[in-house]
Amino acid sequence: MGRHDDSYVSSEAHEDPKDSYSPAHSTNEEVFGSEANNDIKYRTLSWPMVSVLMIAEIVSNGMLSLPSSLAVVGIVPGVIIIVFLGVFATYTSWLLVQFKLRHPQVHTMGDAGFILFGPIGREILSFGTVCFAIFACGGQLLAGQIALAALSDNKLCLMLYTGIFAIPTLLCSLPRTFHGLGWFSVASVFSILIAGIVGMAAAGAHPVEGREVDITLSSDFVTAFTSITNPVFSFAGHFMFFVLISEMKQPKDAMKAAYVLQGFATSYYTIFAAVTYAFLGSKVASPSFSSLDPYWQKVAYGIALPNFLLAGSLYAHTASKLIFVRIFRNTEHVGSHTTLGWGVWVFLVIVCNAAAFVLAVGVPIFNYLIGIAAAMFAAWFTYGVAGMFWLHDSYHDGHGTSAWSRRPFQAALSFATIILGAFICIAGLYISIVGIKAGYASGAIPKAFAC
């Protein structure tokens, strides 16, 4: 990972001319500035609360697809991939945190894109953040749909279940600060933790007779990489890190929250995937709760519902906040209870949630589009762009590329993150397109707004 030194995060270090966000924003100004006289105070989060928010956002419905990944590649390669990705995500978390400490004016990936690539970078990464957040919210709405359908024995049209779940998701997105979602996130973490334990216990109590559990399996590239994307994107929550750290009382403690997140996610993912696959075998469904005994399936989904709800709310909240702060940054509308500020905030929350709902129920290939959005943006946010952060700052702090040669191991890791991000992006796009073609060819893709 390389030695951490104070010059790396010092705000006094040499600045690239592109580092000033705009003429209206001081280079090293905190996102929310001084809040002493504000009605709404954003910088109130402790690092334990940030770790809970991170876990609530990342450890969610994605983990329910992990047992099916092991069914494709085998239990040993699957576990190795999960652990490797967890360790690597910890490293890229460190890179993001260091970049944020050095550039406190960065609120989102769009702000970081401006520092790296100028105005074009800002717009591309801002669009990617909003796009992925809305798609991720839609994914949580579909998880809620599946859970409600299981709980009620599919008595209603699936689109109605999605609409029912969308309403509380919207309401939970409305608080202006992450602190307003903090205690909900505590319940969310307990929800997914207990649901996973219940799911594993139920699988153990009612294992699949004659199941096949393989140590390792060979497969073609498309099938294998499709399964690998499940653990890859289960760690894809870095796009929210800058937004969360911006609301911390002590941003320098952000890495503590990241360690808690990655430690919990990696260990929990590994145990849940291995145990569930061991008892349910090669035919395990995705989501895995759908392979449980009908009674326990309902229990597990019922317990997991608060997590799906809060994760969807966090995504919609993040998309709304990026746009809101972009519009009103350095104005009274951010920190005061103004009519215009609240009106625009509520409007943005409604629009982002509505977009997620319409995409989830109105686009037949929505599940594939989530994969495309994850490949195009989440792969870079979690892996690739983090390496660019270190290379950029070390280049401008030192003497150009000679700064990289002085720390070859760190430079090599940074380039490796970029290469990995590019590979995941290209391969992820390829398998998504192949999946869409195969889905239409087999007639598996339903009509828009279908029940």
Side-chain angles (χ1 to χ4, degrees):
M1 185 180 298
R3 179 180 61 86
H4 169 77
D5 58 60
D6 293 338
S7 64
Y8 181 82
V9 298
S10 172
S11 62
E12 300 296 316
H14 174 71
E15 299 289 346
D16 186 296
K18 292 186 295 183
D19 283 3
S20 55
Y21 179 79
S22 77
H25 302 131
S26 171
T27 300
N28 292 302
E29 181 184 353
E30 290 280 357
V31 177
F32 299 107
S34 175
E35 297 187 307
N37 299 317
N38 286 3
D39 300 323
I40 303 170
K41 292 178 171 57
Y42 293 87
R43 297 172 60 192
T44 58
L45 295 175
S46 63
W47 73 261
M49 185 57 74
V50 171
S51 66
V52 170
L53 284 160
M54 288 177 171
I55 292 171
E57 175 248 331
I58 291 178
V59 184
S60 188
N61 65 326
M63 80 168 196
L64 302 183
S65 65
L66 297 178
S68 65
S69 295
L70 270 59
V72 174
V73 299
I75 193 168
V76 171
V79 166
I80 291 173
I81 290 169
I82 293 172
V83 173
F84 168 77
L85 290 171
V87 172
F88 207 80
T90 304
Y91 167 67
T92 56
S93 297
W94 181 83
L95 293 176
L96 265 69
V97 169
Q98 300 310 308
F99 189 80
K100 170 63 178 175
L101 294 178
R102 177 175 160 77
H103 304 279
Q105 79 276 22
V106 169
H107 181 235
T108 67
M109 282 289 178
D111 294 344
F114 185 87
I115 293 173
L116 295 179
F117 308 114
I120 294 177
R122 176 177 60 194
E123 302 307 329
I124 291 175
L125 294 190
S126 293
F127 171 78
T129 303
V130 173
C131 180
F132 182 70
I134 290 175
F135 273 77
C137 179
Q140 295 295 338
L141 294 183
L142 289 183
Q145 172 204 89
I146 293 171
L148 292 177
L151 288 168
S152 62
D153 296 320
N154 293 287
K155 292 180 180 178
L156 299 177
C157 169
L158 292 178
M159 187 170 64
L160 291 178
Y161 288 122
T162 313
I164 292 169
F165 195 72
I167 295 172
T169 300
L170 185 154
L171 294 176
C172 288
S173 309
L174 285 172
R176 288 277 287 271
T177 69
F178 281 112
H179 187 270
L181 295 170
W183 293 111
F184 291 117
S185 67
V186 174
S188 171
V189 172
F190 277 110
S191 164
I192 197 64
L193 175 62
I194 296 172
I197 293 172
V198 168
M200 288 186 285
H206 302 278
V208 173
E209 297 295 334
R211 62 191 178 280
E212 294 181 10
V213 177
D214 295 290
I215 301 299
T216 183
L217 287 168
S218 60
S219 181
D220 62 90
F221 174 78
V222 172
T223 303
F225 194 82
T226 299
S227 70
I228 291 172
T229 58
N230 292 330
V232 166
F233 298 139
S234 292
F235 287 101
H238 286 36
F239 77 102
M240 283 184 59
F241 279 17
F242 290 148
V243 188
L244 285 166
I245 296 171
S246 295
E247 298 191 24
M248 290 185 69
K249 290 182 287 188
Q250 298 291 338
K252 61 185 178 64
D253 291 332
M255 202 56 218
K256 296 177 183 177
Y259 284 137
V260 172
L261 161 68
Q262 303 300 353
F264 177 84
T266 304
S267 57
Y268 189 46
Y269 284 168
T270 302
I271 295 169
F272 178 80
V275 171
T276 303
Y277 171 59
F279 286 117
L280 299 182
S282 60
K283 302 299 182 181
V284 61
S286 178
S288 60
F289 285 168
S290 295
S291 291
L292 299 177
D293 173 81
Y295 172 79
W296 289 108
Q297 179 182 145
K298 293 181 179 180
V299 173
Y301 273 130
I303 297 172
L305 268 175
N307 175 267
F308 301 158
L309 172 62
L310 195 278
S313 299
L314 284 171
Y315 292 133
H317 179 98
T318 298
S320 304
K321 183 162 284 180
L322 183 152
I323 302 170
F324 183 82
V325 173
R326 177 76 179 271
I327 295 171
F328 291 122
R329 191 167 181 168
N330 286 350
T331 71
E332 64 174 340
H333 304 295
V334 173
S336 300
H337 292 299
T338 64
T339 301
L340 178 60
W342 270 107
V344 171
W345 173 254
V346 172
F347 173 76
L348 290 173
V349 169
I350 292 173
V351 168
C352 289
N353 278 277
F357 171 76
V358 172
L359 286 167
V361 301
V363 179
I365 58 171
F366 179 67
N367 282 325
Y368 297 102
L369 292 183
I370 293 177
I372 291 174
M376 290 181 64
F377 302 117
W380 288 109
F381 294 159
T382 304
Y383 301 104
V385 76
M388 298 178 192
F389 293 156
W390 186 88
L391 293 172
H392 172 276
D393 279 357
S394 61
Y395 180 94
H396 291 289
D397 280 350
H399 301 282
T401 55
S402 63
W404 301 345
S405 62
R406 291 194 186 102
R407 299 177 69 182
F409 182 64
Q410 177 67 70
L413 281 178
S414 297
F415 279 113
T417 66
I418 298 171
I419 294 170
L420 179 61
F423 172 73
I424 295 172
C425 175
I426 295 170
L429 287 173
Y430 174 73
I431 64 168
S432 295
I433 293 170
V434 169
I436 292 172
K437 292 176 63 177
Y440 274 115
S442 65
I445 295 177
K447 296 180 180 179
F449 299 101
C451 284

